[in-house]
Amino acid sequence: MSPSEKKQTYATVIEQVKALLADETDMIANMANVASLLHESFGFWWTGFYRVEGEQLVLGPFQGPLACTRIPYGRGVCGTSWQRRQTVVVPDVEQFPGHIACSSESRSEIVVPVFAGNAVHADATCAADRQVVAVLDIDSRYLATFDDTDRCALEQIAEILAISY
Ligand code: SME
């Protein structure tokens, strides 16, 4: 997919996510539809969510092969994104210390934190106080799949999800 096709596909997906989530507040249902939409639109290897439960991430709605069910805080790419409260882009999973290999097919990865609450609402919690409630994890079978276009679009999708949390 060319860079311009990728941007156009994300623009379409973001509009679909907004429409899908407009009348639904159940986070599991929303995560399930977002995972499906991204997976089908881009043909990723694995697309899904891990939800924060105490000191662990627990597998949530996903599309793709079986995955690890629990990831401790600070472990792997997912636990690192949770700990740093930032998106983590991994061009080559073999070069990421502590990467958790749920599938040997995965070659590159992006993990985006999902925060609770609405960042733009008048009574929004300050950004630093917003809780990470989940992470969106996407794996590719190809090296260096994810760039700033993915980061920007997926962070927007995470914010749309946050509003419904
Ligand atoms: N690779 C992830 C684990 C989750 S799977 O990719 C679905 C990690 O290192 O946290």
Side-chain angles (χ1 to χ4, degrees), residues 37-75:
L37 199 47
L38 287 168
H39 200 74
E40 294 290 315
S41 301
F42 290 96
F44 295 132
W45 175 246
W46 194 94
T47 311
F49 292 88
Y50 282 87
R51 294 184 305 124
V52 172
E53 291 283 348
E55 293 302 306
Q56 294 185 318
L57 293 167
V58 181
L59 183 63
F62 72 95
Q63 299 275 315
L66 292 179
C68 332
T69 54
R70 290 175 185 269
I71 299 173
Y73 182 72
R75 298 284 297 277

Side-chain angles (χ1 to χ4, degrees), residues 6-163:
K6 187 196 265 196
K7 281 186 180 157
Q8 185 51 53
T9 304
Y10 271 122
T12 304
V13 166
I14 286 170
E15 289 313 307
Q16 288 174 296
V17 170
K18 284 179 184 167
L20 273 168
L21 272 53
D23 297 319
E24 181 53 69
T25 57
D26 187 279
M27 189 50 80
I28 299 290
N30 287 339
M31 286 178 173
N33 269 337
V34 168
S36 172
L37 199 47
L38 287 168
H39 200 74
E40 294 290 315
S41 301
F42 290 96
F44 295 132
W45 175 246
W46 194 94
T47 311
F49 292 88
Y50 282 87
R51 294 184 305 124
V52 172
E53 291 283 348
E55 293 302 306
Q56 294 185 318
L57 293 167
V58 181
L59 183 63
F62 72 95
Q63 299 275 315
L66 292 179
C68 332
T69 54
R70 290 175 185 269
I71 299 173
Y73 182 72
R75 298 284 297 277
V77 187
C78 292
T80 299
S81 172
W82 177 19
Q83 185 175 45
R84 290 185 189 165
R85 302 166 55 81
Q86 286 174 354
T87 298
V88 179
V89 177
V90 181
D92 179 352
V93 295
E94 289 183 12
Q95 304 302 318
F96 188 93
H99 168 258
I100 299 166
C102 296
S103 161
S104 59
E105 293 285 327
S106 177
R107 307 290 301 281
S108 61
E109 183 165 357
I110 185 168
V111 180
V112 179
V114 179
F115 296 93
N118 184 339
V120 296
H121 192 270
D123 62 1
T125 314
C126 291
D129 294 332
R130 293 175 77 202
Q131 298 287 314
V132 176
V133 291
V135 297
L136 168 58
D137 178 17
I138 304 180
D139 289 20
S140 166
R141 293 169 76 188
Y142 308 102
L143 290 169
T145 294
F146 305 103
D147 56 21
D148 277 344
T149 298
D150 301 274
R151 175 201 296 269
C152 179
L154 296 171
E155 287 179 354
Q156 287 181 59
I157 290 170
E159 281 301 327
I160 299 166
L161 266 170
I163 289 166

